[in-house]
Amino acid sequence: MVARRELVARQRAEATEAWLDGRDLPAGGAWATTARREALVRLRTLGLPDRRDEYWKYTDPRSLTEREAPSAALFDPAGEPAMFHEIDRVKLVFVDGVFDAAQSDDPSLAGVEIERLAEASQADIHWARELFGVLEARGQEPVPRTLAAVNTAFAEDGVLIRVTGKAERPVSLIYLHNSETSDALLHHCVRLEPGAELTLLENGPGAARFCSVLEVDVADGARFNHVRTQGRDHERRAVTHVFARVGASAAFKSFTATVNGRLTRNEAVVEMAGARGLAHVAGAALGDGAFHQDDTVFITHAAEECETRQVFKKVLRNGAVGVFQGKILVKQAAQLTDGYQISQSLLLDEQSQFLVKPELEIYADDVKCSHGSTSGAIDLTQLFYLRTRGMPREEAEGLLVLAFLAEALEEIEDERLADDIRARLDGWLLRHRRA
Amino acid sequence: MLEIKDLQVKLEDEDKVILKGVSLTVEPGRVHAIMGPNGSGKSTLSYVLAGREGYEVTGGSATLDGHDLLDMEPEERAAVGLFLAFQYPVEIPGVGNMTFLRTSVNAQRRARGQEEMSSTEFLKLVREKAKDLAIDADMLKRPVNTGFSGGEKKRNEILQMAMLEPKMCILDETDSGLDVDAMKLVADGVNALRSEGRGFLVITHYQRLLNHIRPDVVHIMSDGRIVKTGGPELALEVETEGYGDIIEAGEPA
């Protein structure tokens, strides 16, 4: 056994060194260089993940850890309006992982400071040093998320946002994919000061292979809303990480819609650090064929009377695979915790799969925690009922699919954003009906 | 006109014969009632006409205005004018009642080559019809039948009927689970839809619904067959004497 463990460790170290060979940390000022060096140490200590890791049991990380990004054909949206196009927002555009000032708006927004990591990282000192790589490092326990350490060490671009007031408009990060072999790393930090509010939008595939980290510090009484759609490019791969620390009476809400994509792993690591905080993490995924989508969520209750919800819904067909790994950890101090977790899949045929691992670990004695998971097919009684009212089978199925996703979409606070996403999902169903 | 001839039906997965040769014709403008004890095949008849899976037609025919119903998908039957008000209206969480109604109306219009109804046009119409059935705005917004009381569900069925304007309405045990007031409301809704061009087949176990919806013809069904046919007085006979004697007398010797 010992020999085997040593062998595995040696192989992992060798693979990690091979990946690092010839790569240098980006040049930068003192604060960024320190953070990157520390991340490199974490990366070397933890090693790149592989299929033998329990945490990667259901998702093969190989295509995420290969030195070169597997190529991904570009998707043609055929004149369809851009996501969130009717929402008044501050647009910041990244093309294959590089900020594009020409396509972006002037980043001026009352109560919000927006800087580009590529520039801020050149300074010797910056407020972001208290956040950049810090929540990521905390999030490596008890489960390593090495690709996030890779990101902290090597990402050169991203945004650093400090919110001191209530932002009037959302900040919208747009990720364009223009090169079939692009390999993008983006690292964002958002710090909300006490009582501040911000909505952050993200959309687009970003690159052939996309790796992102978003670290969010939601101070006491602040509110952060995050709504994201991941690009429709069929062959793209993405691994994303959200690390959040939620203060007292603060709110953190994150919703992700995933449509298409060869491989998607979305990790969310949330720490409820102050009393009476709230965190909702939700997702809706639609996959057809070569689609593997994984939501991995870890919520730690470290303070009293916090409420957290995880709501994940996946619709799968033609051999698509959905994964959900969700954990709620309630520490001894976190009395009166209210934790809820639901993950459900709608399997439209027998080839598709939903792999689930819900976990509760509770050390406080006065808590309310529940979790549930189901896999099902279209309800034939409901389908018949709709058809007797005149709806053709496929239209009725589409309506039932949207109904299935509705609980996840309800987690989006802003109705306009929810409507936009609903319309996109509806559009997907229409297109995939014809196919 | 609905014409059912010698309809024979068994369960698809079992050797259980449920309808053993049912024949009846409902002319436009007429109301036929089918009464019978539990298990006589009344609900099966309504499901088979609407196109539910799980049944196998082994003989006979059913046509609506010459369209062979048994050869059509459920939505095609709806488009030629067949409507089934369910005994147990189905709850569909996540689909708003309004979306459901509008999608239904427009699907039928499309199937008939008519233009879809605009939002404003639809909204005006649905409000008008809902008012007559004492269906408030809240009920229109809620998910289809979800959390509705028994009476609300049945009123919602009648609202769908009013919006879809079918030629042939089948009401399956519409009175079940209703108190007297709710039944009156539902019956008024049905009576308001009675017209020269529209036929009704009212399936019921009890006579009381027929006090409110006066039938032209009453059929008694037992063990997969219609054993007796008569006028409204037949329903009263059931009420006073029960099914036993009528069925015995109607059994083929």
Side-chain angles (χ1 to χ4, degrees), chain A residues 379-382 384-395 399-400 402-404 406, chain B residues 51-53 73-75 78 83-84 91-93 95 100 103-104 107-108 110 145 157 160:
Chain A
D379 182 314
L380 293 178
T381 310
Q382 293 179 343
F384 175 61
Y385 189 64
L386 295 178
R387 293 178 76 193
T388 63
R389 280 15 181 185
M391 288 179 222
R393 175 190 284 272
E394 307 230 292
E395 188 174 12
L399 204 58
L400 293 175
L402 284 180
F404 168 78
Chain B
R52 188 177 186 134
E53 287 175 15
E73 298 294 338
E75 58 270 27
F83 181 89
L84 170 63
E91 297 193 1
I92 311 183
V95 176
F100 163 64
T103 311
S104 302
Q108 292 204 12
R110 262 199 326 271
N145 295 325
E157 293 292 288
Q160 292 161 42

Side-chain angles (χ1 to χ4, degrees), chain A residues 157-203:
Chain A
D157 225 334
V159 289
L160 306 176
I161 303 176
R162 199 162 79 95
V163 191
T164 53
K166 293 182 169 42
E168 276 186 5
R169 292 186 290 158
V171 172
S172 174
L173 307 179
I174 297 162
Y175 306 131
L176 305 179
H177 172 204
N178 281 355
S179 152
E180 290 192 2
T181 55
S182 56
D183 194 10
L185 294 172
L186 282 175
H187 196 120
H188 311 301
C189 292
V190 180
R191 184 161 110 189
L192 292 108
E193 303 292 349
E197 288 180 17
L198 179 75
T199 295
L200 181 72
L201 308 176
E202 292 184 276
N203 72 285

Side-chain angles (χ1 to χ4, degrees), chain B residues 14-252:
Chain B
E14 293 172 46
D15 275 337
K16 190 177 176 190
V17 179
I18 302 186
L19 298 184
K20 299 174 178 171
V22 171
S23 299
L24 65 91
T25 300
V26 183
E27 309 271 357
R30 307 272 283 177
V31 176
H32 285 230
I34 297 187
M35 301 183 70
N38 291 328
S40 57
K42 307 187 299 290
S43 284
T44 296
L45 177 63
S46 69
Y47 283 144
V48 169
L49 292 175
R52 188 177 186 134
E53 287 175 15
Y55 300 102
E56 190 187 325
V57 176
T58 53
S61 66
T63 59
L64 179 61
D65 295 339
H67 301 284
D68 179 1
L69 290 176
L70 303 177
D71 197 34
M72 298 165 98
E73 298 294 338
E75 58 270 27
E76 293 169 335
R77 302 180 196 206
V80 297
L82 185 76
F83 181 89
L84 170 63
F86 281 55
Q87 179 177 5
Y88 304 107
V90 181
E91 297 193 1
I92 311 183
V95 176
N97 209 10
M98 205 71 129
T99 306
F100 163 64
L101 286 167
R102 188 167 170 212
T103 311
S104 302
V105 167
N106 280 334
Q108 292 204 12
R109 292 176 75 99
R110 262 199 326 271
R112 296 188 197 119
Q114 296 165 322
E115 227 174 275
E116 292 192 14
M117 217 182 253
S118 74
S119 306
T120 36
E121 206 180 338
F122 172 80
L123 220 64
K124 191 167 166 266
L125 193 66
V126 80
R127 283 198 182 127
E128 208 177 277
K129 309 244 181 199
K131 204 175 146 207
D132 295 339
L133 288 158
I135 289 174
D136 61 17
D138 181 55
M139 233 175 101
L140 290 172
K141 266 190 230 152
R142 276 151 61 190
V144 180
N145 295 325
T146 309
F148 284 24
S149 70
E152 285 175 334
K153 282 182 181 171
K154 297 297 171 79
R155 265 144 61 203
N156 203 32
E157 293 292 288
I158 307 305
L159 175 63
Q160 292 161 42
M161 197 160 92
M163 290 299 296
L164 294 168
E165 301 184 326
K167 288 183 187 154
M168 183 65 221
C169 309
I170 305 171
L171 276 59
D172 187 9
E173 306 268 1
T174 292
D175 51 332
S176 68
L178 295 187
D179 60 28
V180 179
D181 291 337
M183 187 160 65
K184 177 135 194 337
L185 209 54
V186 165
D188 288 348
V190 172
N191 288 329
L193 290 169
R194 290 179 74 157
S195 73
E196 271 181 28
R198 183 171 294 142
F200 286 84
L201 192 57
V202 180
I203 294 173
T204 181
H205 185 81
Y206 300 103
Q207 181 268 341
R208 58 176 197 169
L209 179 66
L210 305 178
N211 289 335
H212 300 285
I213 304 171
R214 305 291 298 173
D216 301 300
V217 182
V218 175
H219 308 276
I220 306 294
M221 196 161 173
S222 167
D223 191 26
R225 287 189 183 90
I226 287 172
V227 293
K228 193 166 186 185
T229 295
E233 72 287 348
L234 189 52
L236 291 169
E237 206 179 311
V238 169
E239 181 71 6
T240 49
E241 293 167 29
Y243 284 114
D245 290 347
I246 299 170
I247 290 168
E248 244 167 65
E251 288 289 331

Side-chain angles (χ1 to χ4, degrees), chain A residues 232-267:
Chain A
R232 294 220 302 273
D233 303 38
H234 291 279
E235 295 169 4
R236 61 142 187 88
R237 290 173 162 81
V239 55
T240 75
H241 312 81
V242 178
F243 295 95
R245 183 197 158 278
V246 183
S249 302
F252 168 87
K253 290 194 173 184
S254 178
F255 172 89
T256 303
T258 310
V259 173
N260 301 347
R262 178 66 47 87
L263 176 68
T264 309
R265 163 100 158 191
N266 294 324
E267 296 205 20

